[in-house]
Amino acid sequence: MSAITLPVTANVPEQPAPRQWPPAIWALLLTTLVARSFGFAYPFLSYHLKHLGYTTEAVGQVLAVFGIGWLLGQLLTGWAADRLGRRRTLVTAMATAAVLLPLLAQTHDFAAVCTGALIAGVVYDAARPVVTAVIADLITDDTQRAAVNGWRHGAVNIGAALTGALGGFLAGHVGFQVLFWLNAAACAACALIAHRCLSADIPVATASSRRTDVRAVTRDAQLWLLWAVSVFALTCAAGMFSALPMLMADDGLAASAYGWTQVANAGAVIALTPLLTPWLSRRCGGQRPMIGTLAASALLLGVGMGSAGLAETTFGYSLAVAVAVPGEIAFFIAASDVLNKISPESARGLYAGIWGSTLAVAVIIAPVLAAVSLTYGGGVLTAITTLAAGAMGAALCLPLAGLTSRSPAARVTTEPLPAAS
């Protein structure tokens, strides 16, 4: 900590420039970009299984198993990050993925495929809670944390766009199995980066003099309200990869048209991230979490992706995606700010894992919601249900704001806090 005390009249303390962030932060941003850019396993698993001759029903079952693994993986890696250490958890998860993904690509038996899909789901997004916890460890200022999370979200979106474009090109020229090998190689690279650039582990839950009871964490109403808000908001966001292709196919648009919507998404992210991130980061500087921004972002996601239900042309769908991007950027910065401010130091990984599971849940809910809405009400009902999901997320911010206003610096602990050193 700095020995210099800032005068009480200062409104905003001087913050380090991005290039002065710890090297581990840049390593994690690079890891995020690499993992997402070559994360072919999930988006192309259904194509791979179809190529092997699996029925649509069987493919759906395997994807559901993958989603269950994804959900469990967030909880497991979040817990392990606290108990075993950040670097050990991240390196182990990435190394496991590097070994497993090629095996999954070679497997044909249904039971073996399901087993491989479950384990692949566990490690697929394992970096998310670990990276969240490390950012909270290394960046103590809320404004800088928000800036890091903004650029991290940009890396995720740019990587996802590259995954679709590059994976589609490679699949047509070298086959689907190569995609799994490339994904494995990227995971191995991420494991090496994490091993070299992250500090040696001192597990937080062991080193800290205050222990967090897992049962107490599960009773934290602030955490579970944030979880519910995030599920509703991310269900809208996940519609970009589930409802959108269904709607476009229903309008008779080719797969190439869907590709243009992803180009629009990537373009909007690249254009808006440098503009919105500094402004949103400054709003994170106060002691109150950004719950108002979180509510607005959920609504904007509902409006943006909901409007896709009313579109009929490639331009209309691309515009809907672009409208949703500011909400997506604001959501991840605001939700990360709330998470950081309610998480006890000794359970940052567990809190990040529980919150990270919301994306897995949304990925499961979104295609089901889209399919039912399209079947019984077409694009109009899809628009209504998507907007309703965003509105529900925004509405749940009201009780969340009430809880945080009564205990703005709440921390779940089971032992008294030691005196500051």
Side-chain angles (χ1 to χ4, degrees):
M1 294 184 180
S2 175
I4 301 175
T5 302
L6 293 173
V8 295
T9 55
N11 292 324
V12 180
E14 184 179 354
Q15 303 302 333
R19 61 174 172 269
Q20 296 173 333
W21 290 341
I25 294 296
W26 290 108
L28 292 176
L29 291 176
L30 176 61
T31 297
T32 299
L33 180 61
V34 171
R36 280 301 178 198
S37 297
F38 292 90
F40 303 119
Y42 178 72
F44 289 93
L45 180 58
S46 59
Y47 293 98
H48 172 62
L49 295 176
K50 278 286 190 180
H51 181 71
L52 294 178
Y54 277 75
T55 65
T56 300
E57 182 181 4
V59 171
Q61 291 171 352
V62 174
L63 291 178
V65 170
F66 191 102
I68 293 170
W70 191 343
L71 174 62
L72 294 175
Q74 292 296 291
L75 303 177
L76 178 62
T77 53
W79 174 87
D82 290 331
R83 297 292 172 177
L84 305 179
R86 318 302 198 208
R87 185 174 72 174
R88 187 177 294 112
T89 300
L90 184 55
V91 170
T92 301
M94 292 294 98
T96 301
V99 172
L100 180 71
L101 291 175
L103 297 179
L104 179 60
Q106 303 298 323
T107 302
H108 293 77
D109 178 72
F110 182 71
V113 167
C114 285
T115 302
L118 179 68
I119 302 173
V122 169
V123 298
Y124 177 70
D125 200 29
R128 182 184 298 272
V130 181
V131 171
T132 299
V134 173
I135 291 173
D137 293 341
L138 298 181
I139 306 291
T140 58
D141 176 74
D142 292 326
T143 301
Q144 287 296 305
R145 279 179 182 168
V148 172
N149 282 314
W151 287 107
R152 173 189 174 192
H153 175 61
V156 168
N157 266 345
I158 293 170
L162 288 173
T163 297
L166 183 61
F169 173 79
L170 291 174
H173 289 78
V174 296
F176 294 108
Q177 288 187 348
V178 175
L179 297 184
F180 287 81
W181 281 93
L182 289 173
N183 199 161
C187 290
C190 291
L192 289 174
I193 293 171
H195 185 268
R196 290 184 61 86
C197 298
L198 295 186
S199 301
D201 287 319
I202 302 177
V204 176
T206 300
S208 177
S209 60
R210 43 182 177 156
R211 305 294 184 91
T212 300
D213 187 345
V214 173
R215 289 176 297 178
V217 172
T218 61
R219 293 195 299 266
D220 187 348
Q222 294 178 101
L223 173 62
W224 292 109
L225 277 171
L226 174 62
W227 188 91
V229 170
S230 300
V231 167
F232 281 109
L234 289 175
T235 295
C236 301
M240 191 178 301
F241 309 104
S242 56
L244 200 64
M246 292 182 190
L247 286 164
M248 297 183 75
D250 197 51
D251 282 334
L253 297 174
S256 59
Y258 176 69
W260 282 111
T261 66
Q262 299 310 293
V263 172
N265 173 54
V269 169
I270 293 172
L272 294 176
T273 295
L275 298 177
L276 292 179
T277 296
W279 176 71
L280 290 168
S281 299
R282 289 192 294 271
R283 292 177 60 85
C284 291
Q287 291 196 358
R288 297 287 186 188
M290 298 174 63
I291 297 176
T293 304
L294 184 65
S297 68
L299 274 177
L300 190 53
L301 280 168
V303 170
M305 292 312 302
S307 65
L310 307 178
E312 296 180 347
T313 64
T314 302
F315 175 78
Y317 284 110
S318 299
L319 183 61
V321 168
V323 169
V325 166
E328 194 174 357
I329 294 172
F331 168 79
F332 279 100
I333 291 178
S336 297
D337 178 64
V338 176
L339 181 69
N340 287 328
K341 287 175 178 172
I342 68 173
S343 300
E345 181 180 350
S346 57
R348 283 173 178 161
L350 181 57
Y351 267 60
I354 292 172
W355 178 67
S357 70
T358 58
L359 182 58
V361 174
V363 166
I364 295 171
I365 293 174
V368 176
L369 181 65
V372 172
S373 299
L374 273 172
T375 300
Y376 292 100
V380 173
L381 184 57
T382 304
I384 292 173
T385 55
T386 304
L387 178 59
M392 189 64 186
L396 287 174
C397 287
L398 291 174
L400 178 59
L403 286 177
T404 55
S405 66
R406 289 198 296 270
S407 54
R411 293 292 184 267
V412 180
T413 57
T414 58
E415 295 182 10
L417 195 67
S421 57

